[in-house]
Amino acid sequence: MRFAIVGSGGVGGYYGARLVRAGQQVTFLARGAHLRAMRERGLTIRSAEGDFTVPVRAEEDAARVGPVDVVVLAVKNYDVPSVLPTAKTLAAASDRPALGGSTASILTLQNGVDSPGEVASAVGEAPVIGGTTYISTAISEPGVISQTGTYHRIVLGEVFGDTSRVSARVQSLRDTLAGAGLNVEAVADARAPLWEKLAFLAAMSGFCTAARLPLGPLREAPLFREMFQEAAAEVLRVAAAEGVTTTTRPEDVARFMEGLQADMRPSMLVDLEGGKPLEVEYLQGTVSRRGRARGVPTPVMSTLYSLLLPHARGLRKA
C-alpha cells in the first residue's frame, strides 16, 4: 500500500517508519533540517522497544510524490488549514487507490474532533477517514524520533456516510497498519472515540497547563478528582447534544487519569514551556463553543479555555 505522511514529526515519523520497516511504500513530506537529515541518514526511531533506522523517501513538494492510496495527516490542529492544499493535491493524484474510491483516502490523526470536518470542507467527505492516536513521541534531533514509554494505539473509522458497520476500506487499512506491528482498532463510527479522547485530553491538558504542573501534584489536592471528572462530563454531554453516542463515563475518564504516572506532562504543557503555539482552540475551545451553541453549560472547560487562550500563540510574559 502506498502512503504519504503529511507531518513527519513525532506521530507521523514514528508510524511512517514502522510502515517502511514492514515493507510498505511511504513518502514523507517534510522541510528544513529534518528533511535533509532524513534524506542523508534515513529516519531513526528510538524507543524502549528497540532502536532502528530505515532509509526513507522524503519530499518537500507534494507534486513530486505521485499516486498514493492513503494520505496520513499527522500535523498539529492549527497547521491543518495550511496543509489542506497539499492533502488535496495528493488525493487527486492517485490512480485507482487500493482502498477504493476515485481519490486517495485521507486519515486524520489530530487531537479533538474538528479536523475531519475541516479536511472534508476542502476535499469532500468521501475520502476522509477519522482517526485518533495515543502515543508520546517527539523529534529529538533532525531525522530522529524518540518515543517515551512503549504504548501506542490508533482507533480509526468512518465519520461520514454509513457509520453502521466497519467499512471495507477501514478494515483493509487497519489490517495493513496491524501488519506493521501497530496497535490498531477499526470501528464503525469514529466520532465516538474522537469525543472520548477529547474528554480525557481536554481535561488533563487544561488542568496541567493552567497549573504549569505535571499530573502528580494536582492529584494531591482533594478537590481535583471531582473537578477533573466534571470537566470530562461536560465534554461527553456536548457530544451527546451533537448526536454522538459514547460508552465512556466520566468516572472511567477519571479512573484512567488516576492510573497514569505522576510525572505525566501533556504535550500542551510541554509546548507552553517551549514557547510554542497551543491547541487550546481545538481542545478546550471547541468544547466551550460547541456547548454554547447547543445550550450545554461547560463552566469548568470554559474556565480552562479562558485561562489558556492568551497563550494560544505561545507563552506570554507578564
Side-chain angles (χ1 to χ4, degrees), residues 187-200:
V187 296
D189 187 345
R191 294 174 301 168
L194 290 177
W195 277 98
E196 288 167 349
K197 181 182 178 181
L198 181 62
F200 163 72

Side-chain angles (χ1 to χ4, degrees), residues 32-303:
H34 193 46
L35 171 64
R36 291 192 295 272
M38 291 168 68
R39 284 175 167 173
E40 294 170 4
R41 302 187 296 274
L43 184 56
T44 296
I45 302 299
R46 293 177 179 164
S47 169
E49 291 184 307
D51 301 347
F52 67 91
T53 300
V54 289
V56 298
R57 180 189 176 195
E59 300 287 353
E60 186 171 15
D61 183 0
R64 294 177 56 85
V65 174
V68 298
D69 303 305
V70 181
V71 178
V72 179
L73 206 61
V75 298
K76 291 278 193 177
N77 271 298
Y78 45 72
D79 286 330
V80 168
S82 67
V83 301
L84 287 178
T86 296
K88 191 171 184 178
T89 296
L90 291 168
S94 298
D95 57 342
R96 301 180 64 185
L99 297 184
S102 58
T103 63
S105 296
I106 301 177
L107 173 63
T108 61
L109 287 180
Q110 285 65 50
N111 291 323
V113 297
D114 295 324
S115 63
E118 281 190 278
V119 176
S121 69
V123 303
E125 296 180 351
V128 180
I129 297 176
T132 187
T133 184
Y134 297 80
I135 190 170
S136 179
T137 51
I139 298 176
S140 52
E141 61 183 89
V144 179
I145 306 294
S146 295
Q147 181 184 17
T148 301
T150 60
Y151 184 75
H152 68 269
R153 179 176 178 237
I154 296 174
V155 183
L156 55 90
E158 302 291 351
V159 287
F160 303 110
D162 183 6
T163 57
S164 64
R165 56 185 176 81
V166 176
S167 68
R169 68 169 180 166
V170 165
Q171 186 62 51
S172 179
L173 179 55
R174 180 265 164 203
D175 292 345
T176 298
L177 295 172
L182 300 175
N183 179 17
V184 192
E185 178 185 358
V187 296
D189 187 345
R191 294 174 301 168
L194 290 177
W195 277 98
E196 288 167 349
K197 181 182 178 181
L198 181 62
F200 163 72
L201 187 60
M204 186 186 71
S205 66
F207 279 110
C208 289
T209 308
R212 316 292 198 268
L213 288 170
L215 190 56
L218 290 175
R219 286 194 302 222
E220 296 172 6
L223 191 61
F224 174 69
R225 187 186 195 280
E226 179 183 335
M227 289 297 97
F228 186 96
Q229 186 167 312
E230 177 54 29
E234 291 175 3
V235 179
L236 296 174
R237 285 195 288 267
V238 174
E242 296 216 345
V244 179
T245 301
T246 60
T247 57
T248 296
R249 301 168 301 173
E251 53 267 36
D252 298 329
V253 181
R255 192 176 303 113
F256 179 76
M257 174 273 297
E258 290 172 338
L260 296 174
Q261 58 198 52
D263 61 352
M264 168 64 70
R265 302 169 67 82
S267 60
M268 182 180 284
L269 175 58
V270 175
D271 287 342
L272 180 78
E273 293 173 337
K276 298 179 181 178
L278 308 183
E279 291 187 310
V280 59
E281 290 287 7
Y282 302 90
L283 300 180
Q284 298 79 19
T286 200
V287 177
S288 179
R289 287 189 300 275
R290 289 174 183 244
R292 190 177 303 112
R294 298 286 183 178
V296 178
T298 59
V300 179
M301 293 303 306
S302 294
T303 299

